[in-house]
Amino acid sequence: MQHRTNASALTVGMVLAIAGLVLPVAGAQPQEQRLAPGFPGAPPGPPAQGDAAAPDKPEFPDFKEVTKDFVKVVSTADGSQSMWTVYRREKDNQLLAELPREFESQRYFFAMTLARGSMWAGLQGSDMYVYWKRYDKTLALIAPELENRSTGDAESKSSVNQLFTDRVILELPIATMGPGGGPVIDLDALLVGQASKFFGPGAAGLSPTLSAVKEAKAFPDNVEISIEAPLPAAPRSAFSFTMPDTGRLQTFHYSISLIRENPAYKPREADERVGYFTTVYRDLGELGKINKWKRYVNRWHLEKADPKLNVSPAKEPIVFYVEHTVPIRYRRWVREGVLYWNKAFEKVGISNAMEVYYQDKTTGAHMDKDPEDVRFNFIRWLSNDISTAIGPSRANPLTGEILDADIILTDGWIRAFWSMSNEILPDIAMDNFGPDSMAWLAKNPNWDPRIRLAPPGQRDFLLAQQAARGVQRFGGHPAATVDPTLMGDDLFDGLAGRTSQTNGMCMAAQGRAADIAFAGMAMDMLDMIIDADQPAADGPKPDADKKDEPKEEKLDGIPEWFIGPLLADLVAHEVGHTLGLRHNFKASAIYSMSQINSEEWKGKKPIGGSVMDYNALPQINVGTGAVQGDYGMIAVGPYDMWAIEYGYTLGDPKKVLERVAEPELVYATDEDTWGPDPLARRRDMGSDPLTFAKSRVKLAQDLRARIIDRFVKDGDSWSKARRGYMITLSQHLNSLGVMANWIGGAHITRDKKGDPNARAPITPVPAQTQRDALQFVLENAFRDEAFGLTPELVNKMTVDKWWDQGGMNDIFEDETWPIHERILGLQATVLSMLMNPTSLGRVYDNEFRVSPDQDMISLPEVVNAVSDEIWSELKPLTGRYTDRKPMVTSLRRNLQREHLERLIDLSSPGMFFGSAEKSVATVATGKLRELQSRIETILPPDNARDLPRKPDALDNYTYSHLVESRAKIVRALDSIQIYNANQIGGGGMIILMGNETQPASR
């Protein structure tokens, strides 16, 4: 494929001309502006001496000559004029485009999608709102300044326009002028030669000679171009628009559309009480207002076809096409998930606001519509074996009007019904650590769950990676590292660095995969078929009485009655994003588990407040109700109805907000998940999460007890036992994480002063609730019996070895499961949840938030409770112990050493910053002294430095462990005492190196 080269860089004269700067010439009047010969727009200089006067050359080559052998692209049945007149030359894949005469007054929307050749093909890429501007024989593609505007007086507008100017994205030479009076550009040179400006660095260096135009369509309001080219570079991330193997053919699709003003659309101001993606700008003309930021909700332009009717069909409904790639067996459930939302729109007076049509390759239905075309909204299916569902949209950055939406579903979460790897454990552990905690973890990697839960062979590599990154903003929290040029590679994509927010990465499907794997295990082992006629008060029961019934309908080996509604639920979640709605992680807390699992609820009411939550699904009844309730959401929830009413009501939206204090309308979103509210969490369920957590852990324990007999079938590899145990461990850790957040917690509301029945913005969690949560965590994280490990089970937990892509994750693991490493990793993670400075600081602050005559859990109480549980063996000897039956088991010795290290860290000066530091250090130091005293009741020394005598009743393991623990405590207390003495006396500082200390030179 032959390409003409782009114009060279702007000359100095052009730069000056663009900036509006000219140089004064001697002798000129002050108001005159003269340009040197050769500058754009300047008169020609005198002819060189001896040159004959030459006839004027045409400014551009002849149009017919430039377009020789090109054929005009006509994509409309009636041949009507297209937005740009596109010409294509088939033999060498050349494209030209003639812009209209009035091109400089038009605004265009570039929407990029990687259409083929990637695991994420079909996922919306970046978008641009731009215009063309001519500079002599060059066009510049320019992005207008949108982030800073003024709606104030003329002086304010003038100042803002002077300070905040538009940005040139690229330049392109004019090839010739077209018959319509507009410039002609080399379109493939733009879209191939400068692809990195649109698709990011991953598209830099596309080969002109190996590129091919796969599609070129021109319509009155848009142009659709697809370019196929081999991958030129390595990917930036796992979710990047590139594949790891350079050279793979990929299709880069450009949907370029004309943005017309829509006077009928009225932007709606966003409000923090209800969660919408927003279009935001800073209004520097609003001097009389405290808040200079103007925020509009992102929403579709929906109107009644007949405004006089209370309920009218939509004038232009939101139409989704289910792409032909979606398996036929799942399509009806996909459609049902979309149509859930019609109930919400009916409340605002619009019926059938959502419509769904199937694209079908066999019949040809709707096959003329391209999923990448911004005029059409598609639901696409990727068979990439990854658990993901994403629902991004594109909006007008001036008004927030949604223009286009495409939903991506993948098959991985359904495949997870049968298996789930342990790679999700670190994600679960890190779910609720905020920026402050992550910054602290970066300096204290021994506390970091991502390190502690990693295989030992990976830890040095992870630490080296962390060191190479250096100090990052907010500890490298994903919310602070978002790259707005990519979509899908970051947890908070689409929320940062954009004028119009969107959902760039949604983790609903990943959590769903872990839960589905857990449910699959339960069904596989317990033959769990629960219906309205079967009580479930004692949990799932073996299906002993239904062997002679007809076989149920299954989808890919999974009962349709189970997986179908869960797919509809997931689709409804992603459709909610495309309607403008953000996550609501507090909505799962509005109903009790007993309500959800009751005849009153089952099949009649949604199990939570919103499909926009990451509800712990499937919801499985284990002793929490009279019947097995619905496994997932069967409709949009009350919060969803209210949110749609606010965004789409044709009446006064302020009236809608007056309901904010109603209990069913609670709202908390992504940035709330690392805050103090324990209900603002992912993957929990019910108004009493303790009931949920207990039921999940109980089910995990029941399943573990049946892994050998029921889960691993005849003919199965014993590696299935290991996989099954890790599935239960992920649920176990999730339950511990859910409850650990209650210690030091405070409930948050977004009510404003003056709202009807307005609640206080901050209410500390009651003391007894915190104590109950803490007790649950202590019992289920630090006691050996909580993990259900037996010699019989661990000797079956092996791994298969396949040296190929399918087995690469396993070949570096031992066939013998690392018992102590895995359990200590989980226990260390829970210690990080309970004892990190942020959590302890919240406990300390809550003491002040509650009147002294009221009960509240205290900092010493938390530290004491953790210590007492972990060191419960420290009491006078009452029996005899042996090395095979030690007083302190091997798992507990590991835990006690870990806890001791944490106490020493917290007591050491300078370990963390914050108002609670001294109090935490004092309490931790006091606990070290108490532990020393308790150890000495078992191992009494002759004096403080003598090696204690081993009692005859004590085993060697416990004796050595206690001796070393006491020695560590003594060294730590000595170093603290010396440090404090030097601080008071002005002596040399003590440098703390782990648990060893040495005086600094003076």
Side-chain angles (χ1 to χ4, degrees):
M1 179 176 175
Q2 223 38 50
H3 278 278
R4 291 169 290 281
T5 58
N6 292 335
S8 61
L10 291 173
T11 64
V12 174
M14 292 178 70
V15 172
L16 294 175
I18 292 171
L21 300 176
V22 293
L23 301 176
V25 180
Q29 297 298 319
Q31 69 272 19
E32 283 188 291
Q33 294 179 337
R34 296 186 180 181
L35 295 174
F39 276 29
Q49 190 173 3
D51 286 355
D56 291 340
K57 290 185 178 180
E59 188 177 14
F60 295 102
D62 181 68
F63 173 79
K64 291 184 179 179
E65 178 183 336
V66 171
T67 60
K68 183 180 180 182
D69 298 329
F70 280 81
V71 176
K72 181 179 177 180
V73 173
V74 178
S75 304
T76 55
D78 59 1
S80 56
Q81 179 63 40
S82 55
M83 180 185 79
W84 296 349
T85 305
V86 178
Y87 301 90
R88 180 176 183 177
R89 191 164 62 197
E90 292 280 357
K91 66 178 182 179
D92 55 1
N93 284 297
Q94 292 286 325
L95 284 177
L96 298 173
E98 179 187 350
L99 307 185
R101 183 189 296 270
E102 66 278 10
F103 73 95
E104 288 190 283
S105 66
Q106 294 181 340
R107 295 293 183 267
Y108 300 102
F109 193 76
F110 278 61
M112 279 63 70
T113 306
L114 189 62
R116 295 181 68 249
S118 166
M119 291 179 71
W120 297 100
L123 179 63
Q124 286 185 0
S126 59
D127 53 72
M128 295 180 179
Y129 178 76
V130 294
Y131 65 91
W132 290 105
K133 184 175 178 62
R134 180 176 176 179
Y135 295 97
D136 193 23
K137 296 182 179 181
T138 300
L139 293 183
L141 188 64
I142 301 176
E145 168 59 35
L146 299 176
E147 295 178 1
N148 298 281
R149 313 179 201 175
S150 173
T151 59
D153 53 32
E155 292 78 11
S156 170
K157 292 178 180 177
S158 177
S159 176
V160 169
N161 290 336
Q162 183 175 336
L163 295 175
F164 303 99
T165 55
D166 299 348
R167 178 174 56 88
V168 175
I169 298 172
L170 56 84
E171 59 175 298
L172 198 68
I174 298 174
T176 185
M177 297 301 291
V184 176
I185 60 173
D186 188 340
L187 191 56
D188 54 293
L190 169 71
L191 305 182
V192 176
Q194 307 213 44
S196 62
K197 300 291 178 63
F198 302 101
F199 282 91
L206 290 186
S207 170
T209 56
L210 297 180
S211 300
V213 177
K214 300 296 291 182
E215 177 187 73
K217 296 181 181 181
F219 302 100
D221 287 335
N222 64 301
V223 169
E224 306 295 320
I225 307 292
S226 290
I227 306 289
E228 183 183 75
L231 174 67
R236 295 184 60 185
S237 71
F239 289 78
S240 172
F241 293 109
T242 52
M243 288 286 287
D245 45 343
T246 299
R248 184 182 293 276
L249 290 173
Q250 297 187 322
T251 300
F252 300 84
H253 187 97
Y254 296 84
S255 186
I256 307 169
S257 55
L258 181 64
I259 296 290
R260 301 184 186 274
E261 289 189 13
N262 183 4
Y265 180 83
K266 304 300 181 186
R268 178 154 299 170
E269 288 202 20
D271 190 281
E272 63 266 35
R273 289 167 285 186
V274 60
Y276 271 85
F277 296 115
T278 60
T279 290
V280 60
Y281 66 91
R282 182 169 57 167
D283 190 346
L284 295 173
E286 293 279 10
L287 297 179
K289 293 184 178 180
I290 296 176
N291 187 5
K292 58 183 175 291
W293 296 97
K294 185 78 73 176
R295 297 180 179 91
Y296 300 137
V297 302
N298 291 354
R299 61 186 183 129
W300 297 86
H301 183 205
L302 274 178
E303 298 177 292
K304 290 182 177 181
D306 186 346
K308 297 188 296 295
L309 296 176
N310 289 332
V311 179
S312 164
K315 185 176 181 180
E316 291 186 24
I318 303 168
V319 178
F320 273 96
Y321 296 92
V322 179
E323 193 185 27
H324 66 88
T325 56
V326 178
I328 294 174
R329 58 192 178 275
Y330 292 122
R331 289 181 189 175
R332 77 178 183 95
W333 294 106
V334 171
R335 180 177 184 272
E336 186 167 327
V338 179
L339 298 181
Y340 278 176
W341 289 97
N342 274 339
K343 184 178 179 181
F345 284 107
E346 287 171 7
K347 187 174 180 181
V348 300
I350 302 175
S351 63
N352 298 317
M354 310 288 295
E355 294 183 0
V356 182
Y357 299 98
Y358 298 135
Q359 187 185 58
D360 191 88
K361 206 167 187 178
T362 304
T363 64
H366 301 293
M367 291 300 296
D368 58 323
K369 299 175 177 66
D370 295 325
E372 295 82 19
D373 190 330
V374 295
R375 297 175 301 170
F376 307 113
N377 311 305
F378 267 81
I379 299 175
R380 316 184 71 173
W381 187 277
L382 304 183
S383 297
N384 61 6
D385 203 23
I386 297 175
S387 302
T388 302
I390 304 176
S393 59
R394 296 176 171 123
N396 186 326
L398 291 176
T399 64
E401 180 186 1
I402 295 177
L403 307 172
D404 170 42
D406 292 302
I407 293 170
I408 295 293
L409 304 173
T410 67
D411 63 349
W413 70 276
I414 293 177
R415 293 178 190 269
F417 184 83
W418 300 120
S419 66
M420 182 68 190
S421 75
N422 57 28
E423 293 175 0
I424 197 173
L425 281 176
D427 293 335
I428 293 173
M430 295 300 297
D431 198 32
N432 301 313
F433 281 96
D436 291 347
S437 297
M438 291 189 69
W440 191 80
L441 291 175
K443 294 191 298 182
N444 298 275
N446 194 49
W447 288 62
D448 194 329
R450 293 166 295 187
I451 304 298
R452 302 308 303 268
L453 290 170
Q458 280 282 83
R459 289 176 189 166
D460 286 345
F461 173 72
L462 294 175
L463 289 170
Q465 277 190 323
Q466 188 181 82
R469 287 192 294 266
V471 177
Q472 293 182 291
R473 295 175 63 244
F474 299 105
H477 193 280
T481 59
V482 175
D483 182 354
T485 65
L486 293 174
M487 283 292 173
D489 70 328
D490 189 281
L491 183 61
F492 299 98
D493 262 351
L495 294 175
R498 296 176 58 87
T499 300
S500 291
Q501 294 177 330
T502 184
N503 171 51
M505 187 178 188
C506 181
M507 303 303 292
Q510 186 195 59
R512 185 72 53 88
D515 292 342
I516 290 292
F518 189 55
M521 186 176 179
M523 289 185 175
D524 195 30
M525 295 167 66
L526 303 175
D527 299 325
M528 187 176 66
I529 299 177
I530 301 175
D531 56 32
D533 299 324
Q534 180 181 344
D538 297 323
K541 297 179 175 62
D543 181 30
D545 302 326
K546 297 190 176 184
K547 293 180 180 179
D548 298 328
E549 291 187 5
K551 286 189 176 181
E552 61 195 357
E553 189 70 29
K554 291 192 175 184
L555 300 179
D556 297 321
I558 309 172
E560 184 174 11
W561 55 261
F562 174 78
I563 201 67
L566 291 179
L567 175 57
D569 179 357
L570 183 62
V571 171
H573 179 100
E574 302 306 334
V575 171
H577 283 316
T578 69
L579 297 175
L581 298 184
R582 293 191 61 187
H583 290 128
N584 181 359
F585 292 127
K586 205 170 182 176
S588 59
I590 67 172
Y591 303 129
S592 69
M593 297 294 287
S594 60
Q595 285 178 304
I596 294 169
N597 292 303
S598 68
E599 292 285 3
E600 178 188 359
W601 239 259
K602 184 178 176 66
K604 305 178 184 72
K605 298 181 181 181
I607 63 174
S610 174
V611 295
M612 304 312 297
D613 203 337
Y614 290 179
N615 297 311
L617 300 177
Q619 182 278 133
I620 299 176
N621 177 14
V622 183
T624 56
V627 300
Q628 169 61 50
D630 295 309
Y631 292 102
M633 296 286 285
I634 59 171
V636 296
Y639 166 82
D640 302 321
M641 304 282 286
W642 180 63
I644 290 296
E645 185 180 6
Y646 175 74
Y648 291 88
T649 183
L650 304 176
D652 183 1
K654 292 182 180 178
K655 285 288 189 183
V656 179
L657 292 172
E658 291 179 356
R659 299 176 53 208
V660 65
E662 293 181 14
E664 291 186 330
L665 306 183
V666 292
Y667 165 63
T669 192
D670 298 82
E671 54 269 27
D672 296 305
T673 58
W674 61 74
D677 194 334
L679 292 175
R681 295 292 180 261
R682 304 175 179 92
R683 300 182 63 210
D684 60 357
M685 198 74 222
S687 56
D688 178 13
L690 181 58
T691 299
F692 159 78
K694 286 182 176 179
S695 69
R696 278 289 161 113
V697 168
K698 183 180 185 306
L699 181 55
Q701 292 170 338
D702 290 345
L703 296 181
R704 286 173 190 156
R706 294 173 171 84
I707 285 177
I708 295 175
D709 298 330
R710 300 293 301 271
F711 188 55
V712 182
K713 307 290 196 301
D714 289 346
D716 287 341
S717 165
W718 280 109
S719 64
K720 189 177 179 182
R722 185 163 173 166
R723 188 165 65 246
Y725 186 84
M726 293 305 297
I727 290 172
T728 69
L729 201 61
S730 72
Q731 292 293 326
H732 195 138
L733 179 58
N734 181 64
S735 299
L736 292 170
V738 166
M739 296 317 301
N741 281 286
W742 285 77
I743 294 91
H747 296 302
I748 308 299
T749 72
R750 295 175 181 243
D751 305 10
K752 293 185 178 182
K753 185 177 181 179
D755 283 338
N757 304 311
R759 300 157 293 187
I762 301 171
T763 305
V765 173
Q768 190 56 49
T769 303
Q770 294 189 54
R771 292 188 182 107
D772 292 342
L774 180 58
Q775 188 61 33
F776 171 83
V777 174
L778 299 180
E779 292 176 0
N780 290 283
F782 301 143
R783 297 182 182 178
D784 291 1
E785 59 269 23
F787 300 101
L789 291 170
T790 64
E792 184 184 15
L793 176 58
V794 296
N795 286 328
K796 299 294 192 304
M797 290 167 54
T798 187
V799 64
D800 293 331
K801 297 291 182 100
W802 293 97
W803 198 308
D804 52 34
Q805 286 187 330
M808 191 58 67
N809 289 336
D810 294 330
I811 66 170
F812 296 105
E813 290 198 22
D814 282 351
E815 288 86 348
T816 52
W817 189 67
I819 302 165
H820 293 90
E821 281 290 338
R822 285 298 186 189
I823 298 304
L824 182 59
L826 184 144
Q827 292 175 328
T829 294
V830 175
L831 281 173
S832 295
M833 293 174 179
L834 295 176
M835 300 179 67
N836 72 80
T838 300
S839 297
L840 293 179
R842 287 174 180 164
V843 172
Y844 192 53
D845 283 346
N846 270 356
E847 294 182 53
F848 192 86
R849 287 194 174 95
V850 174
S851 173
D853 58 355
Q854 295 181 10
D855 186 24
M856 179 47 59
I857 196 169
S858 66
L859 182 61
E861 182 179 350
V862 172
V863 174
N864 287 335
V866 174
S867 181
D868 290 347
E869 173 63 39
I870 292 175
W871 295 88
S872 62
E873 292 90 344
L874 295 184
K875 50 193 175 185
L877 297 175
T878 57
R880 295 191 63 84
Y881 301 96
T882 67
D883 292 346
R884 292 294 292 131
K885 293 183 179 181
M887 182 179 110
V888 183
T889 66
S890 58
L891 294 178
R892 294 278 291 181
R893 293 196 298 271
N894 281 348
L895 173 61
Q896 289 174 2
R897 279 191 287 266
E898 186 72 31
H899 176 253
L900 191 57
E901 300 280 358
R902 302 301 177 95
L903 284 178
I904 293 172
D905 283 347
L906 293 176
S907 64
S908 301
M911 278 302 292
F912 66 93
F913 299 99
S915 58
E917 177 192 4
K918 293 298 184 183
S919 296
V920 171
T922 301
V923 171
T925 302
K927 184 51 62 177
L928 288 174
R929 296 187 191 282
E930 180 191 323
L931 284 176
Q932 179 185 355
S933 176
R934 292 174 64 187
I935 291 173
E936 289 173 352
T937 61
I938 300 174
L939 306 177
D942 294 335
N943 59 61
R945 294 294 179 182
D946 284 348
L947 186 67
R949 179 181 60 82
K950 176 182 175 298
D952 293 337
L954 197 61
D955 59 279
N956 290 302
Y957 277 124
T958 301
Y959 171 74
S960 300
H961 166 63
L962 295 180
V963 168
E964 178 58 24
S965 298
R966 177 182 172 276
K968 280 187 176 182
I969 294 172
V970 170
R971 291 196 299 269
L973 292 175
D974 285 349
S975 67
I976 294 169
Q977 185 176 2
I978 296 171
Y979 175 89
N980 290 335
N982 277 277
Q983 288 292 294
I984 296 172
M989 297 287 290
I990 297 297
I991 300 174
L992 298 171
M993 304 291 292
N995 295 313
E996 303 297 332
T997 61
Q998 61 182 44
S1001 59
R1002 296 182 62 180

